[in-house]
Amino acid sequence: MGKPPRAMTPVEEVDLSAVRYQSPSLQAPHLTGFSLRAFVWLMESPLFGRLLTSVLKSQNNITRMLQDTVIPERPMYRPEYPPQEPEQGVLLLGDDRDPVDRVEEALHCLPPYDSSLRWPAGDKPPFLYWKIRDFAHAYRSGITTPSVVAEHIIAGVEEWSNKKPHMPMLVYFNADDLRKQAEASTKRFQQGNPISILDGIFITIKDDIDCFPYPSKGATTFFDKIRSVEKDAVCVARLRKCGVLFIGKANMHELGLGVTGNNPNYGTARNPHSIDRYTGGSSSGPAALVSSGLCSAAIGTDGGGSVRIPSSLCGIIGLKTTYGRTDMTGALCDCGTVEVASPLAASVEDALLVYSAIAGSRPMDKLTLRPSPLCVPNLVSPDNNNILGSVKIGKYTEWFHDVSDRDISNTCEDALNLLCSSFGCQIEEIILPELEEMRTAHVVSIGTESFCDLNPHYRAGKRTEFTLDTRTSLALFGSFTSTDYVASQRIRRRIMYYHNEAFKKVDVIATPTTGITAPEIPQSSLKLGESNYVVSAYLMRFVIAGNLLGLPAITVPVGHDKQGLPIGLQLIGRPWGEASLLRVASAIEELCLKKRKRPSAFHDILNA
């Protein structure tokens, strides 16, 4: 007789006091070069592939969790949220309003701009990055023009592209087109009629989001040949309406199926803080461009930490919005249940302004997800400090400290303690059960959805045109069954229940953003790629709830490790709670500003 199946306790009956945290133990080979090529051949073999994927899934308890377990909950095929209480101290922007009007409203929530603080006497500015309002002031006061800044950006991109080692941040770049955009913006300023505070602001778009007339390749060598770009994605169109200037299409981990940023097709983007380190991914190019000072903000996509991981590793802000908060029309990944388009920025203020422009749900999501009203925090309200003082921060201590080096969690803990001592916030201990089950459910969900999108091209003979890393992932994803997928959606409902219960006690959940700082780039990975699921698991350790459950989350730089590599603190919010996250993140950013360092590879495009 077979072994009886494991049965999970109904989620409402789970005794949280009996839950014991278990550090994940992922088993998978680290492969580069010839060994990776051989492994892919085995994975794609009809005979050996099935055996190999079966062994890998068994070793990592995937089979036990999904095939050998009775899960009593109904499946949840996309995030479902109970109605949320209105956020305090916010300004409503209006989901359907013109993005120019929304950005103008958002400006009223920021402290008044003081040029004397941002443009001090002397050569060296007392801050890390120029903000969007600095560029706006420079344009309006005649200090410089978008055309002049564009030339500095073009020179910077060319310098990065010609460096050794190769440091490609862009998949597609057209200097003449950038000059034309900048010239039109310069004329608007000369005529005294800029469109908005975002007019003349340079932003880059990840290569899986349409930005007409540029191709969308997803950082592959062929995707633009089978999918043409006819118009801007919705989020890009909203930015363009505000006068934003687009630098080009940013490099990424091929098709977003990895979190290091390794890409043999166009070269691997490198971390501006240490060029022998990964940026993180999959939004590798956007993070590198913002971190290096070549643009104020970028738009990436986040399906498995792909905005937050590179933002953390590169020392910038990464905001992942609630699932359904931004319209995904025009993105390669617009049909999944875990991915959103979101901003990366040098500051919380800039993330807030860009978010105000791009946010707004698609019509069907308004009907099915019932989003709370779109709003931003009023940071100049007299009640702002009182609201901050009432914030309760959830912390699962054992999970919080499960990192490769306690430098990471201690630095994050110091930032939280500083927030509490400065404003009176409280840290509450919480328990989040079944974190390993959550990771498994996410892998199956995003993997199955990605495989469904790519399988027609895979079967039509494009298999060998994918990188070896992507082919490894697709071979694994193709082994997931309908049973695996349904079981994962049942787990999604359980994990949603645990988080909803936690949010009855706390306002935000805090974790380190990643379990390691920026990993080294193996020389052997540059030509053929790399498969390292152990490193990927460390990078993704704390980010999964934002994707599987669709919750909003933000990473804020709070310091550096002993090697000078950035450390990010992640805040996870209630559904539709972006305004509350931005308020807390802004406070943490200000408190930790002196602990941040400029990257060694930096371009001062406004003061050049």
Side-chain angles (χ1 to χ4, degrees):
M1 287 183 63
K3 197 175 178 183
R6 182 176 68 123
M8 298 182 90
T9 304
V11 68
E12 295 89 350
E13 299 173 18
V14 172
D15 180 5
L16 294 185
S17 65
V19 172
R20 297 293 176 265
Y21 177 76
Q22 290 186 321
S23 181
S25 177
L26 186 70
Q27 297 185 52
H30 176 203
L31 303 166
T32 61
F34 175 78
S35 63
L36 177 58
R37 190 189 293 277
F39 187 76
V40 169
W41 182 85
L42 288 171
M43 288 283 281
E44 292 178 343
S45 163
L47 176 62
F48 297 112
R50 184 174 297 180
L51 175 63
L52 193 53
T53 53
S54 178
V55 169
L56 286 171
K57 289 190 288 187
S58 179
Q59 284 180 333
N60 292 286
N61 287 326
I62 294 176
T63 305
R64 178 172 175 267
M65 286 183 202
L66 304 179
Q67 300 276 346
D68 303 334
T69 300
V70 176
I71 307 171
E73 281 69 37
R74 292 179 296 110
M76 179 188 288
Y77 290 107
R78 68 197 312 228
E80 298 173 9
Y81 310 121
Q84 301 295 308
E85 293 291 326
E87 295 177 272
Q88 292 181 284
V90 299
L91 186 67
L92 296 178
L93 297 183
D95 201 80
D96 296 317
R97 291 181 66 193
D98 188 288
V100 174
D101 295 335
R102 292 207 304 250
V103 171
E104 185 63 32
E105 284 287 333
L107 274 175
H108 297 247
C109 296
L110 301 176
Y113 182 79
D114 186 345
S115 61
S116 66
L117 296 177
R118 301 293 294 175
W119 298 82
D123 295 331
K124 195 172 182 180
F127 52 85
L128 296 169
Y129 291 98
W130 297 105
K131 295 182 181 180
I132 286 171
R133 290 198 289 173
D134 295 322
F135 284 90
H137 169 76
Y139 298 153
R140 284 163 173 78
S141 59
I143 294 173
T144 190
T145 68
S147 290
V148 172
V149 175
E151 293 302 325
H152 296 321
I153 293 173
I154 292 167
V157 169
E158 290 174 349
E159 180 184 332
W160 273 76
S161 299
N162 295 328
K163 274 190 176 183
K164 291 184 179 179
H166 193 37
M167 302 170 71
M169 296 183 286
L170 291 160
V171 168
Y172 186 90
F173 176 66
N174 186 321
D176 288 338
D177 181 67
L178 187 61
R179 289 186 176 106
K180 287 179 183 177
Q181 294 181 65
E183 183 182 357
S185 179
T186 297
K187 286 181 178 177
R188 291 193 291 270
F189 280 100
Q190 290 171 344
Q191 294 166 359
N193 59 352
I195 299 171
S196 78
I197 197 73
L198 295 180
D199 200 342
I201 302 304
F202 294 86
I203 286 181
T204 189
I205 304 298
K206 189 179 178 183
D207 195 36
D208 61 352
I209 301 172
D210 291 344
C211 183
F212 185 80
Y214 309 147
S216 291
K217 302 177 181 181
T220 67
T221 58
F222 69 90
F223 220 77
D224 56 316
K225 299 180 181 68
I226 60 177
R227 179 186 178 277
S228 61
V229 175
E230 308 295 339
K231 60 181 180 179
D232 288 332
V234 169
C235 61
V236 173
R238 288 171 177 166
L239 290 171
R240 198 184 295 275
K241 196 168 187 180
C242 295
V244 164
L245 312 183
F246 298 105
I247 294 176
K249 301 301 291 294
N251 203 352
M252 58 182 284
H253 205 115
E254 187 181 60
L255 293 169
L257 298 181
V259 292
T260 61
N262 183 288
N263 190 310
N265 294 331
Y266 299 97
T268 295
R270 292 173 178 269
N271 196 315
H273 286 269
S274 179
I275 62 172
D276 62 340
R277 303 273 175 165
Y278 280 122
T279 58
S282 60
S283 303
S284 52
L289 283 155
V290 174
S291 178
S292 67
L294 284 172
C295 59
S296 299
I299 303 299
T301 52
D302 192 316
S306 289
V307 160
R308 290 161 289 156
I309 290 170
S311 295
S312 176
L313 268 50
C314 291
I316 60 173
I317 306 297
L319 171 65
K320 187 257 163 203
T321 60
T322 308
Y323 176 79
R325 177 65 91 184
T326 52
D327 189 327
M328 290 290 287
T329 304
L332 298 187
C333 47
D334 68 341
C335 296
T337 67
V338 297
E339 195 139 13
V340 299
S342 292
L344 305 85
S347 66
V348 173
E349 175 181 308
D350 289 354
L352 184 152
L353 290 173
V354 174
Y355 166 69
S356 300
I358 69 170
S361 307
R362 67 175 104 195
M364 184 56 69
D365 287 340
K366 290 177 186 176
L367 290 173
T368 58
L369 297 174
R370 301 185 303 280
S372 299
L374 176 61
C375 57
V376 289
N378 188 349
L379 300 179
V380 294
S381 165
D383 294 328
N384 189 57
N385 285 0
N386 291 334
I387 294 171
L388 277 170
S390 68
V391 170
K392 292 184 178 179
I393 301 166
K395 179 185 169 194
Y396 187 4
T397 297
E398 289 181 280
W399 185 36
F400 192 98
H401 288 293
D402 188 10
V403 291
S404 63
D405 188 323
R406 285 292 288 261
D407 259 5
I408 297 171
S409 56
N410 288 343
T411 301
C412 291
E413 198 166 51
D414 289 345
L416 290 178
N417 291 336
L418 186 58
L419 179 72
C420 292
S421 63
S422 300
F423 293 99
C425 309
Q426 290 184 333
I427 296 176
E428 301 280 346
E429 184 67 22
I430 60 171
I431 294 174
L432 295 170
E434 300 172 21
L435 293 173
E436 269 304 277
E437 285 81 354
M438 177 173 70
R439 179 184 67 82
T440 298
H442 173 263
V443 167
V444 173
S445 297
I446 192 171
T448 304
E449 291 167 11
S450 299
F451 190 76
C452 181
D453 286 341
L454 297 173
N455 191 42
H457 310 299
Y458 191 80
R459 292 171 61 87
K462 295 295 184 182
R463 184 188 71 186
T464 57
E465 297 186 48
F466 293 114
T467 62
L468 295 175
D469 177 27
T470 298
R471 288 165 66 181
T472 302
S473 296
L474 291 176
L476 174 64
F477 298 161
S479 74
F480 295 144
T481 66
S482 57
T483 301
D484 294 332
Y485 186 76
V486 173
S488 295
Q489 307 322 300
R490 289 178 166 177
I491 290 173
R492 193 195 303 232
R493 187 173 296 278
R494 292 177 67 89
I495 304 302
M496 184 71 84
Y497 175 86
Y498 295 134
H499 281 72
N500 284 338
E501 288 298 296
F503 283 124
K504 291 177 181 177
K505 298 197 305 180
V506 300
D507 301 294
V508 298
I509 296 169
T511 72
T513 308
T514 60
I516 53 174
T517 50
E520 289 187 14
I521 304 172
Q523 189 66 27
S524 58
S525 74
L526 296 176
K527 185 176 181 181
L528 295 177
E530 178 182 21
S531 178
N532 193 339
Y533 285 110
V534 174
V535 163
S536 296
Y538 263 114
L539 290 173
M540 298 176 72
R541 177 150 298 172
F542 303 103
V543 298
I544 297 303
N547 301 109
L548 184 68
L549 309 183
L551 299 173
I554 192 169
T555 178
V556 185
V558 292
H560 299 255
D561 68 6
K562 294 183 182 74
Q563 301 173 88
L565 300 170
I567 294 169
L569 172 70
Q570 178 184 228
L571 304 171
I572 305 169
R574 292 189 176 111
W576 317 113
E578 288 87 354
S580 297
L581 284 185
L582 288 164
R583 171 179 280 109
V584 179
S586 178
I588 292 172
E589 176 189 44
E590 188 65 30
L591 292 169
C592 297
L593 200 56
K594 292 182 180 178
K595 298 180 181 179
R596 290 177 68 183
K597 303 172 186 175
R598 259 190 183 173
S600 54
F602 183 81
H603 292 270
D604 190 342
I605 60 172
L606 188 52
N607 206 31

